[in-house]
Amino acid sequence: MRSISKDEFTKAYDKVTSSQDYMSDVKRMEIGDTIAIPATNKEHAIKMRHNIVQTSSNLRKRGGTVKFQTLIKEILGNTYEVWIARVS
């Protein structure tokens, strides 16, 4: 076990929570809305896309008619975005 500084913890916590905040925006999307969410790398983009697909599936299981189209877009070499459109 090691001690960590409050600053180190705060930076790591902000990084994790900011990457998860996108789901609240996705859940509030209306039909026809589109958004682009920045990802830190390709693996992160794939994980984000998977989370969106899972959320859509879970909402449909609860009786909703939520469907998204998703796309992973490479921007300038090693920078990625997840593009999302709500279609129903």
Side-chain angles (χ1 to χ4, degrees):
M1 179 169 49
R2 70 179 179 97
S3 294
I4 57 173
S5 68
K6 178 70 174 171
D7 186 48
E8 184 180 1
F9 177 83
T10 303
K11 285 180 184 178
Y13 184 80
D14 288 343
K15 183 178 179 182
V16 169
T17 56
S18 67
S19 68
Q20 294 173 354
D21 279 348
Y22 69 90
M23 287 308 294
S24 61
D25 293 332
V26 170
K27 289 179 182 178
R28 284 182 274 156
M29 290 176 70
E30 299 290 330
I31 295 172
D33 287 350
T34 57
I35 59 174
I37 303 169
T40 54
N41 55 36
K42 188 172 185 176
E43 291 78 23
H44 186 227
I46 292 168
K47 183 178 178 181
M48 290 170 61
R49 182 177 186 221
H50 176 74
N51 289 341
I52 292 162
V53 170
Q54 266 190 321
T55 298
S56 177
S57 175
N58 290 340
L59 292 172
R60 283 195 307 276
K61 286 178 185 174
R62 295 182 192 140
T65 57
V66 179
K67 291 186 181 176
F68 298 103
Q69 290 179 334
T70 60
L71 173 72
I72 296 174
K73 181 75 174 167
E74 185 175 359
I75 311 291
L76 298 175
N78 203 17
T79 306
Y80 293 87
E81 289 182 337
V82 179
W83 290 6
I84 306 159
R86 176 151 179 204
V87 292
S88 71

